[in-house]
Amino acid sequence: QVRLVESGGGLVQAGGSLRLSCAASGRTISSYTMGWFRQAPGKDREIISATYRSGGTTYYEDSVKGRFTISRDNAKNTVYLQMNSLKPEDTAVYFCAARESDSGRYGYWGQGTQVTVSS
C-alpha cells in the first residue's frame, strides 16, 4: 500500500508559480499511475493531470494545458506539479492520488494542500 503526502501549496498572486510535491512511501511510485486532482469550494473534485505508469505519457485537463507540468522522480519517490501563470480560478485544494493501472479508479489519496491565487 502506498501512502501519499502533498506539500507546496500556499498563497500566490495571479501570474505567479507554485510547485506541488507528492511524496510517496510504502511502495515505489513506478508501480502506479499518479494523478493530481483539485477541488474548489462548491465544486466536484476534478482530475487535472496524470502521469501514467506505462509508457511515460501524461494527461492535462484543458484549463491547465500549457501552464502546468507534471513530472515524477522515481528515485525520490515523488511526483511534482509545476504550476505557472496561475489564475484566481486555480484556487482549490489539490490532491495527489495513485492507481495501480492505467485505467480505473484511484485508490490511494493524499490529504490535500491548499492553493490560493489572489487577483
Side-chain angles (χ1 to χ4, degrees), residues 55-79:
T57 56
T58 56
Y59 161 82
Y60 296 97
E61 193 270 333
D62 285 347
S63 67
V64 306
K65 279 181 183 176
R67 300 189 298 124
F68 291 9
T69 303
I70 192 170
S71 61
R72 64 165 77 206
D73 186 332
N74 288 339
K76 294 184 178 180
N77 221 27
T78 300
V79 178

PDB file of all heavy atoms in Angstrom, residues 55-79:
ATOM      1  N   GLY A  55       4.606   3.655 -20.283  1.00  0.00           N
ATOM      2  CA  GLY A  55       4.774   4.479 -21.474  1.00  0.00           C
ATOM      3  C   GLY A  55       5.225   5.901 -21.225  1.00  0.00           C
ATOM      4  O   GLY A  55       5.613   6.591 -22.170  1.00  0.00           O
ATOM      5  N   GLY A  56       5.141   6.376 -19.988  1.00  0.00           N
ATOM      6  CA  GLY A  56       5.608   7.728 -19.720  1.00  0.00           C
ATOM      7  C   GLY A  56       4.727   8.824 -20.262  1.00  0.00           C
ATOM      8  O   GLY A  56       5.132   9.983 -20.308  1.00  0.00           O
ATOM      9  N   THR A  57       3.511   8.494 -20.665  1.00  0.00           N
ATOM     10  CA  THR A  57       2.638   9.526 -21.197  1.00  0.00           C
ATOM     11  C   THR A  57       2.004  10.323 -20.071  1.00  0.00           C
ATOM     12  O   THR A  57       1.951   9.885 -18.922  1.00  0.00           O
ATOM     13  CB  THR A  57       1.544   8.927 -22.080  1.00  0.00           C
ATOM     14  OG1 THR A  57       0.827   7.950 -21.319  1.00  0.00           O
ATOM     15  CG2 THR A  57       2.130   8.274 -23.319  1.00  0.00           C
ATOM     16  N   THR A  58       1.519  11.508 -20.441  1.00  0.00           N
ATOM     17  CA  THR A  58       0.893  12.395 -19.473  1.00  0.00           C
ATOM     18  C   THR A  58      -0.449  12.876 -19.992  1.00  0.00           C
ATOM     19  O   THR A  58      -0.741  12.823 -21.191  1.00  0.00           O
ATOM     20  CB  THR A  58       1.785  13.607 -19.172  1.00  0.00           C
ATOM     21  OG1 THR A  58       2.079  14.284 -20.403  1.00  0.00           O
ATOM     22  CG2 THR A  58       3.075  13.192 -18.491  1.00  0.00           C
ATOM     23  N   TYR A  59      -1.251  13.353 -19.060  1.00  0.00           N
ATOM     24  CA  TYR A  59      -2.577  13.915 -19.374  1.00  0.00           C
ATOM     25  C   TYR A  59      -2.708  15.258 -18.696  1.00  0.00           C
ATOM     26  O   TYR A  59      -2.241  15.437 -17.558  1.00  0.00           O
ATOM     27  CB  TYR A  59      -3.679  12.974 -18.870  1.00  0.00           C
ATOM     28  CG  TYR A  59      -5.019  13.665 -18.740  1.00  0.00           C
ATOM     29  CD1 TYR A  59      -5.837  13.825 -19.861  1.00  0.00           C
ATOM     30  CD2 TYR A  59      -5.443  14.181 -17.520  1.00  0.00           C
ATOM     31  CE1 TYR A  59      -7.050  14.491 -19.751  1.00  0.00           C
ATOM     32  CE2 TYR A  59      -6.652  14.845 -17.404  1.00  0.00           C
ATOM     33  CZ  TYR A  59      -7.455  14.984 -18.515  1.00  0.00           C
ATOM     34  OH  TYR A  59      -8.651  15.645 -18.410  1.00  0.00           O
ATOM     35  N   TYR A  60      -3.344  16.200 -19.379  1.00  0.00           N
ATOM     36  CA  TYR A  60      -3.665  17.500 -18.805  1.00  0.00           C
ATOM     37  C   TYR A  60      -5.089  17.867 -19.162  1.00  0.00           C
ATOM     38  O   TYR A  60      -5.499  17.729 -20.317  1.00  0.00           O
ATOM     39  CB  TYR A  60      -2.722  18.594 -19.314  1.00  0.00           C
ATOM     40  CG  TYR A  60      -1.286  18.389 -18.919  1.00  0.00           C
ATOM     41  CD1 TYR A  60      -0.386  17.792 -19.786  1.00  0.00           C
ATOM     42  CD2 TYR A  60      -0.834  18.793 -17.660  1.00  0.00           C
ATOM     43  CE1 TYR A  60       0.938  17.588 -19.416  1.00  0.00           C
ATOM     44  CE2 TYR A  60       0.482  18.600 -17.283  1.00  0.00           C
ATOM     45  CZ  TYR A  60       1.360  17.991 -18.160  1.00  0.00           C
ATOM     46  OH  TYR A  60       2.666  17.794 -17.791  1.00  0.00           O
ATOM     47  N   GLU A  61      -5.797  18.352 -18.179  1.00  0.00           N
ATOM     48  CA  GLU A  61      -7.124  18.907 -18.423  1.00  0.00           C
ATOM     49  C   GLU A  61      -6.954  20.206 -19.198  1.00  0.00           C
ATOM     50  O   GLU A  61      -5.943  20.926 -19.023  1.00  0.00           O
ATOM     51  CB  GLU A  61      -7.829  19.106 -17.086  1.00  0.00           C
ATOM     52  CG  GLU A  61      -9.309  19.370 -17.165  1.00  0.00           C
ATOM     53  CD  GLU A  61      -9.602  20.838 -17.260  1.00  0.00           C
ATOM     54  OE1 GLU A  61      -8.800  21.644 -16.775  1.00  0.00           O
ATOM     55  OE2 GLU A  61     -10.648  21.188 -17.866  1.00  0.00           O
ATOM     56  N   ASP A  62      -7.928  20.524 -20.036  1.00  0.00           N
ATOM     57  CA  ASP A  62      -7.755  21.652 -20.959  1.00  0.00           C
ATOM     58  C   ASP A  62      -7.402  22.962 -20.261  1.00  0.00           C
ATOM     59  O   ASP A  62      -6.604  23.758 -20.779  1.00  0.00           O
ATOM     60  CB  ASP A  62      -9.023  21.845 -21.790  1.00  0.00           C
ATOM     61  CG  ASP A  62      -9.172  20.789 -22.873  1.00  0.00           C
ATOM     62  OD1 ASP A  62      -8.202  20.066 -23.151  1.00  0.00           O
ATOM     63  OD2 ASP A  62     -10.281  20.685 -23.433  1.00  0.00           O
ATOM     64  N   SER A  63      -7.980  23.212 -19.106  1.00  0.00           N
ATOM     65  CA  SER A  63      -7.788  24.523 -18.473  1.00  0.00           C
ATOM     66  C   SER A  63      -6.365  24.718 -17.933  1.00  0.00           C
ATOM     67  O   SER A  63      -5.978  25.854 -17.627  1.00  0.00           O
ATOM     68  CB  SER A  63      -8.789  24.711 -17.330  1.00  0.00           C
ATOM     69  OG  SER A  63      -8.519  23.814 -16.271  1.00  0.00           O
ATOM     70  N   VAL A  64      -5.586  23.646 -17.826  1.00  0.00           N
ATOM     71  CA  VAL A  64      -4.235  23.785 -17.291  1.00  0.00           C
ATOM     72  C   VAL A  64      -3.162  23.498 -18.341  1.00  0.00           C
ATOM     73  O   VAL A  64      -1.967  23.678 -18.065  1.00  0.00           O
ATOM     74  CB  VAL A  64      -4.009  22.879 -16.056  1.00  0.00           C
ATOM     75  CG1 VAL A  64      -5.084  23.126 -15.007  1.00  0.00           C
ATOM     76  CG2 VAL A  64      -3.937  21.405 -16.429  1.00  0.00           C
ATOM     77  N   LYS A  65      -3.577  23.066 -19.522  1.00  0.00           N
ATOM     78  CA  LYS A  65      -2.598  22.780 -20.577  1.00  0.00           C
ATOM     79  C   LYS A  65      -1.760  24.011 -20.886  1.00  0.00           C
ATOM     80  O   LYS A  65      -2.277  25.113 -21.018  1.00  0.00           O
ATOM     81  CB  LYS A  65      -3.316  22.330 -21.850  1.00  0.00           C
ATOM     82  CG  LYS A  65      -3.736  20.876 -21.849  1.00  0.00           C
ATOM     83  CD  LYS A  65      -4.417  20.519 -23.168  1.00  0.00           C
ATOM     84  CE  LYS A  65      -4.902  19.086 -23.154  1.00  0.00           C
ATOM     85  NZ  LYS A  65      -5.646  18.731 -24.393  1.00  0.00           N
ATOM     86  N   GLY A  66      -0.450  23.803 -20.997  1.00  0.00           N
ATOM     87  CA  GLY A  66       0.455  24.897 -21.297  1.00  0.00           C
ATOM     88  C   GLY A  66       0.877  25.694 -20.084  1.00  0.00           C
ATOM     89  O   GLY A  66       1.791  26.520 -20.168  1.00  0.00           O
ATOM     90  N   ARG A  67       0.229  25.475 -18.942  1.00  0.00           N
ATOM     91  CA  ARG A  67       0.579  26.200 -17.713  1.00  0.00           C
ATOM     92  C   ARG A  67       1.128  25.266 -16.625  1.00  0.00           C
ATOM     93  O   ARG A  67       2.000  25.665 -15.859  1.00  0.00           O
ATOM     94  CB  ARG A  67      -0.649  26.926 -17.160  1.00  0.00           C
ATOM     95  CG  ARG A  67      -1.243  27.940 -18.110  1.00  0.00           C
ATOM     96  CD  ARG A  67      -2.311  28.789 -17.421  1.00  0.00           C
ATOM     97  NE  ARG A  67      -3.447  27.986 -16.953  1.00  0.00           N
ATOM     98  CZ  ARG A  67      -3.873  27.960 -15.695  1.00  0.00           C
ATOM     99  NH1 ARG A  67      -3.260  28.677 -14.767  1.00  0.00           N
ATOM    100  NH2 ARG A  67      -4.915  27.222 -15.352  1.00  0.00           N
ATOM    101  N   PHE A  68       0.609  24.064 -16.559  1.00  0.00           N
ATOM    102  CA  PHE A  68       1.008  23.103 -15.529  1.00  0.00           C
ATOM    103  C   PHE A  68       1.831  21.992 -16.170  1.00  0.00           C
ATOM    104  O   PHE A  68       1.584  21.589 -17.310  1.00  0.00           O
ATOM    105  CB  PHE A  68      -0.205  22.475 -14.859  1.00  0.00           C
ATOM    106  CG  PHE A  68      -1.020  23.408 -13.999  1.00  0.00           C
ATOM    107  CD1 PHE A  68      -0.811  24.774 -13.979  1.00  0.00           C
ATOM    108  CD2 PHE A  68      -2.032  22.897 -13.195  1.00  0.00           C
ATOM    109  CE1 PHE A  68      -1.562  25.616 -13.181  1.00  0.00           C
ATOM    110  CE2 PHE A  68      -2.799  23.722 -12.394  1.00  0.00           C
ATOM    111  CZ  PHE A  68      -2.564  25.089 -12.389  1.00  0.00           C
ATOM    112  N   THR A  69       2.793  21.477 -15.405  1.00  0.00           N
ATOM    113  CA  THR A  69       3.612  20.368 -15.867  1.00  0.00           C
ATOM    114  C   THR A  69       3.734  19.331 -14.754  1.00  0.00           C
ATOM    115  O   THR A  69       4.141  19.669 -13.630  1.00  0.00           O
ATOM    116  CB  THR A  69       5.019  20.838 -16.265  1.00  0.00           C
ATOM    117  OG1 THR A  69       4.919  21.844 -17.272  1.00  0.00           O
ATOM    118  CG2 THR A  69       5.840  19.672 -16.814  1.00  0.00           C
ATOM    119  N   ILE A  70       3.385  18.100 -15.082  1.00  0.00           N
ATOM    120  CA  ILE A  70       3.528  17.008 -14.127  1.00  0.00           C
ATOM    121  C   ILE A  70       4.826  16.274 -14.413  1.00  0.00           C
ATOM    122  O   ILE A  70       5.235  16.130 -15.568  1.00  0.00           O
ATOM    123  CB  ILE A  70       2.320  16.042 -14.202  1.00  0.00           C
ATOM    124  CG1 ILE A  70       2.319  15.065 -13.026  1.00  0.00           C
ATOM    125  CG2 ILE A  70       2.285  15.293 -15.527  1.00  0.00           C
ATOM    126  CD1 ILE A  70       1.026  14.253 -12.905  1.00  0.00           C
ATOM    127  N   SER A  71       5.479  15.832 -13.356  1.00  0.00           N
ATOM    128  CA  SER A  71       6.697  15.047 -13.527  1.00  0.00           C
ATOM    129  C   SER A  71       6.818  14.092 -12.350  1.00  0.00           C
ATOM    130  O   SER A  71       6.192  14.284 -11.307  1.00  0.00           O
ATOM    131  CB  SER A  71       7.934  15.940 -13.623  1.00  0.00           C
ATOM    132  OG  SER A  71       8.090  16.705 -12.445  1.00  0.00           O
ATOM    133  N   ARG A  72       7.623  13.063 -12.553  1.00  0.00           N
ATOM    134  CA  ARG A  72       7.861  12.127 -11.473  1.00  0.00           C
ATOM    135  C   ARG A  72       9.356  11.867 -11.356  1.00  0.00           C
ATOM    136  O   ARG A  72      10.056  11.823 -12.364  1.00  0.00           O
ATOM    137  CB  ARG A  72       7.114  10.822 -11.652  1.00  0.00           C
ATOM    138  CG  ARG A  72       7.512   9.988 -12.853  1.00  0.00           C
ATOM    139  CD  ARG A  72       6.970   8.568 -12.727  1.00  0.00           C
ATOM    140  NE  ARG A  72       5.559   8.478 -13.021  1.00  0.00           N
ATOM    141  CZ  ARG A  72       4.760   7.527 -12.521  1.00  0.00           C
ATOM    142  NH1 ARG A  72       5.254   6.634 -11.673  1.00  0.00           N
ATOM    143  NH2 ARG A  72       3.486   7.469 -12.858  1.00  0.00           N
ATOM    144  N   ASP A  73       9.803  11.734 -10.135  1.00  0.00           N
ATOM    145  CA  ASP A  73      11.185  11.370  -9.846  1.00  0.00           C
ATOM    146  C   ASP A  73      11.123  10.050  -9.092  1.00  0.00           C
ATOM    147  O   ASP A  73      10.891  10.028  -7.867  1.00  0.00           O
ATOM    148  CB  ASP A  73      11.868  12.463  -9.022  1.00  0.00           C
ATOM    149  CG  ASP A  73      13.352  12.208  -8.814  1.00  0.00           C
ATOM    150  OD1 ASP A  73      13.758  11.038  -8.812  1.00  0.00           O
ATOM    151  OD2 ASP A  73      14.087  13.184  -8.619  1.00  0.00           O
ATOM    152  N   ASN A  74      11.329   8.967  -9.813  1.00  0.00           N
ATOM    153  CA  ASN A  74      11.200   7.654  -9.184  1.00  0.00           C
ATOM    154  C   ASN A  74      12.269   7.438  -8.115  1.00  0.00           C
ATOM    155  O   ASN A  74      12.020   6.746  -7.128  1.00  0.00           O
ATOM    156  CB  ASN A  74      11.268   6.558 -10.243  1.00  0.00           C
ATOM    157  CG  ASN A  74      10.016   6.507 -11.096  1.00  0.00           C
ATOM    158  OD1 ASN A  74       8.955   6.990 -10.702  1.00  0.00           O
ATOM    159  ND2 ASN A  74      10.134   5.928 -12.274  1.00  0.00           N
ATOM    160  N   ALA A  75      13.438   8.046  -8.307  1.00  0.00           N
ATOM    161  CA  ALA A  75      14.495   7.879  -7.316  1.00  0.00           C
ATOM    162  C   ALA A  75      14.107   8.507  -5.980  1.00  0.00           C
ATOM    163  O   ALA A  75      14.450   7.991  -4.911  1.00  0.00           O
ATOM    164  CB  ALA A  75      15.795   8.480  -7.838  1.00  0.00           C
ATOM    165  N   LYS A  76      13.392   9.628  -6.045  1.00  0.00           N
ATOM    166  CA  LYS A  76      12.937  10.305  -4.822  1.00  0.00           C
ATOM    167  C   LYS A  76      11.537   9.862  -4.421  1.00  0.00           C
ATOM    168  O   LYS A  76      11.013  10.325  -3.411  1.00  0.00           O
ATOM    169  CB  LYS A  76      12.968  11.822  -5.016  1.00  0.00           C
ATOM    170  CG  LYS A  76      14.367  12.385  -5.186  1.00  0.00           C
ATOM    171  CD  LYS A  76      14.347  13.899  -5.287  1.00  0.00           C
ATOM    172  CE  LYS A  76      15.763  14.461  -5.398  1.00  0.00           C
ATOM    173  NZ  LYS A  76      15.765  15.941  -5.508  1.00  0.00           N
ATOM    174  N   ASN A  77      10.948   9.000  -5.251  1.00  0.00           N
ATOM    175  CA  ASN A  77       9.589   8.512  -4.987  1.00  0.00           C
ATOM    176  C   ASN A  77       8.605   9.670  -4.809  1.00  0.00           C
ATOM    177  O   ASN A  77       7.768   9.681  -3.890  1.00  0.00           O
ATOM    178  CB  ASN A  77       9.555   7.605  -3.762  1.00  0.00           C
ATOM    179  CG  ASN A  77       8.649   6.408  -3.974  1.00  0.00           C
ATOM    180  OD1 ASN A  77       8.437   5.961  -5.108  1.00  0.00           O
ATOM    181  ND2 ASN A  77       8.104   5.885  -2.899  1.00  0.00           N
ATOM    182  N   THR A  78       8.716  10.651  -5.696  1.00  0.00           N
ATOM    183  CA  THR A  78       7.947  11.886  -5.576  1.00  0.00           C
ATOM    184  C   THR A  78       7.407  12.292  -6.938  1.00  0.00           C
ATOM    185  O   THR A  78       8.083  12.133  -7.960  1.00  0.00           O
ATOM    186  CB  THR A  78       8.822  13.009  -4.999  1.00  0.00           C
ATOM    187  OG1 THR A  78       9.296  12.616  -3.699  1.00  0.00           O
ATOM    188  CG2 THR A  78       8.040  14.307  -4.868  1.00  0.00           C
ATOM    189  N   VAL A  79       6.202  12.809  -6.916  1.00  0.00           N
ATOM    190  CA  VAL A  79       5.580  13.381  -8.107  1.00  0.00           C
ATOM    191  C   VAL A  79       5.415  14.874  -7.881  1.00  0.00           C
ATOM    192  O   VAL A  79       5.096  15.304  -6.764  1.00  0.00           O
ATOM    193  CB  VAL A  79       4.204  12.738  -8.375  1.00  0.00           C
ATOM    194  CG1 VAL A  79       3.540  13.378  -9.587  1.00  0.00           C
ATOM    195  CG2 VAL A  79       4.363  11.242  -8.584  1.00  0.00           C
TER     196      VAL A  79
END
